[in-house]
Amino acid sequence: MSGQVLRDGAIIDPSASRKLPSPEGKPTVTVLDYGSGNVRSAVRALERAGAEVILSSKPEDVLNADGLVVPGVGAFETVMRELKAVDGIRLIGRRVAGGRPVLGICVGLQVLFEAGVEHGTEAEGIGEWPGKVELLPADVVPHMGWNTVKVPEGSTLFAGVENERFYFVHSYGVQEWNFDVIQPRMAPPLVTWSEHGAPFIAAVENGPLCATQFHPEKSGDAGARLLRNWVQALRKPEATPEPGTTETPADGSA
C-alpha cells in the first residue's frame, strides 16, 4: 500500500489524498456528473447554501470533496446504468465506507436501495439500504407538487423545517422500511415519511449517507434551509494524519 493514505477509516488513492481547495474556505461539494438531466439548479442552490461547488465525475473530485451530491432524474434502471458508466457506484461506496458525506436527491435516493421495479422490470440498486422502489398506489401519478413530511425526532437535516412542505416529482417510491441494526453502538437511521396513495420514504439520515425523495433545490425557503443544514454539517476541522502516514503536498514536493 505504498503511497496510499488512511483517511476517515478508508484507504484511498494517492491522487485522492488531499481535500479539494476552496479559495474562500467554504465546504467543498461535488455534484456527480453522470448525465442526469439539468442539475444546474442543484449546483446553484448548494452555492447559495454556502458551498464551493463543482460538477464533475472525476474520481479525485468525487473522493476529495467535503460532500458529494448524487442527483437523479428519470428511470431507476437508466440512472443505475449511467452511474456505472462513470464508476459512480464504486466511488459512492468508497465515500460511505470512509464516513464521507453523501446526499442523494430524488432517484439519487431510490438507487441507494436494493432494487427498483418499473413497468414490470426489476433492476438492481446500490443496496446501501434494504427495500424496493415500486409504483405508488395512488389514483394520480406522478406525485407532483408540494407535500408535508413526518420528521422523526433528532433530525439534523430537517432542523428548523420539520413542519414545512417540500416539492416532489415522482411516480415510484419505497413504501416499507426494514433495517436491522446489528451493531450495538450503531444508531438506527432516521426515516422521514410522506404520503401519496400510501406512506413512502421521503428522506433517510444514516450517518454520512443522507437522501431525499423530494427536490430540496426546488423547495423554496424550506429546501434552502435543509441544504444549508447539510452544508454546515460538512464544516469539520482538518483530519490529523494517522501515525506512520504522510501526505504529499499539493505541488508534489517532498
Side-chain angles (χ1 to χ4, degrees):
M1 298 192 300
S2 176
Q4 294 183 320
V5 177
L6 184 65
R7 172 75 59 77
D8 293 336
I11 297 294
I12 60 179
D13 299 329
S15 62
S17 62
R18 296 191 65 83
K19 175 180 170 181
L20 287 180
S22 169
E24 299 178 8
K26 300 177 180 179
T28 57
V29 173
T30 294
V31 175
L32 185 57
D33 183 15
Y34 64 94
S36 177
N38 180 14
V39 296
R40 297 296 176 180
S41 58
V43 171
R44 290 192 294 269
L46 287 160
E47 288 174 340
R48 290 193 293 270
E52 185 81 23
V53 187
I54 61 172
L55 180 63
S56 176
S57 61
K58 294 180 180 179
E60 59 269 26
D61 294 337
V62 173
L63 293 174
N64 283 337
D66 294 316
L68 173 69
V69 170
V70 182
V73 176
F76 185 104
E77 186 174 18
T78 300
V79 169
M80 283 295 296
R81 182 169 61 249
E82 291 173 341
L83 283 172
K84 289 177 182 177
V86 298
D87 201 22
I89 295 173
R90 183 184 70 87
L91 295 173
I92 292 169
R94 290 284 293 276
R95 285 192 62 95
V96 174
R100 309 296 303 280
V102 176
L103 175 66
I105 295 176
C106 197
V107 186
L109 170 143
Q110 295 179 2
V111 295
L112 293 170
F113 286 85
E114 291 175 315
V117 179
E118 295 188 8
H119 308 295
T121 301
E122 182 169 324
E124 183 180 3
I126 296 175
E128 290 290 342
W129 299 316
K132 185 177 295 185
V133 181
E134 298 179 287
L135 183 67
L136 296 174
D139 293 334
V140 177
V141 289
H143 172 216
M144 182 180 297
W146 298 83
N147 205 345
T148 56
V149 296
K150 186 176 181 180
V151 180
E153 291 186 9
S155 171
T156 56
L157 195 61
F158 286 88
V161 290
E162 297 90 345
N163 300 313
E164 300 296 330
R165 293 175 178 264
F166 296 86
Y167 189 79
F168 293 84
V169 183
H170 65 118
S171 299
Y172 298 83
V174 180
Q175 297 159 48
E176 295 182 2
W177 177 260
N178 295 297
F179 187 94
D180 295 327
V181 176
I182 58 176
Q183 297 292 340
R185 297 183 181 180
M186 179 181 178
L190 298 179
V191 181
T192 293
W193 294 85
S194 189
E195 186 166 343
H196 184 71
F200 66 88
I201 292 176
V204 181
E205 299 168 69
N206 184 198
L209 184 59
C210 296
T212 66
Q213 177 63 70
F214 56 83
H215 287 271
E217 77 280 10
K218 299 178 181 179
S219 295
D221 291 341
R225 173 65 182 271
L226 183 144
L227 289 177
R228 191 160 62 248
N229 288 343
W230 184 73
V231 168
Q232 288 177 347
L234 303 177
R235 296 180 182 276
K236 297 179 179 179
E238 287 289 333
T240 302
E242 292 288 328
T245 64
T246 58
E247 291 195 5
T248 303
D251 60 3
S253 62

